[in-house]
Amino acid sequence: MDAAAAARARRGINRRGHMVRFKRAKGGATAQVKAVIEGYSPDEYVNGITAGTRHLIVSVLDLQAQGFPVPVAKGDNIYLGPNLDWPTTVQTVDTDHREYQGCYEIVTSGQ
């Protein structure tokens, strides 16, 4: 991870992102941080991508600052929405693609 790139990515996520709540499936650890959330268009619904599937980008630094055990794991829950009460479940976590920027790319599905 490049410290300067991670700091830039973190500022961008906090400027553009939405508040989400992470909850570890086993152990109950939680963290409330901002993440960039994107949906998928219907023409992208292949290979496990269905309605309700979302793509998130989150700063590892933000998760660590909240005491959340990293990396995020398949089966963890992410709560979305204005009241953080729309439950979704982590399907995949890419820890490599944005590692230089200190970010995870997550695919989550659910409500």
Side-chain angles (χ1 to χ4, degrees):
M1 171 184 349
D2 179 80
R8 278 191 306 275
R10 188 181 197 185
R11 285 190 305 270
I13 290 169
N14 284 307
R15 188 173 45 250
R16 181 178 165 222
H18 299 280
M19 195 59 72
V20 298
R21 183 168 36 102
F22 283 77
K23 185 169 189 283
R24 176 58 39 104
K26 294 180 179 162
T30 63
Q32 199 164 306
V33 297
K34 284 195 173 181
V36 174
I37 306 167
E38 300 170 344
Y40 290 91
S41 65
D43 58 327
E44 295 177 294
Y45 291 170
V46 294
N47 298 331
I49 304 298
T50 59
T53 301
R54 291 172 185 84
H55 177 250
L56 282 80
I57 300 171
V58 65
S59 168
V60 175
L61 298 174
D62 283 345
L63 289 171
Q64 290 174 329
Q66 292 283 314
F68 193 79
V70 294
V72 175
K74 180 176 181 174
D76 286 349
N77 294 304
I78 302 175
Y79 294 85
L80 312 172
N83 298 318
L84 302 180
D85 58 354
W86 299 343
T88 65
T89 304
V90 172
Q91 301 302 313
T92 63
V93 180
D94 186 342
T95 58
D96 295 325
H97 182 73
R98 294 179 186 266
E99 190 274 335
Y100 179 79
Q101 298 173 315
C103 296
Y104 293 145
E105 286 193 20
I106 299 170
V107 174
T108 184
S109 64
Q111 203 162 10

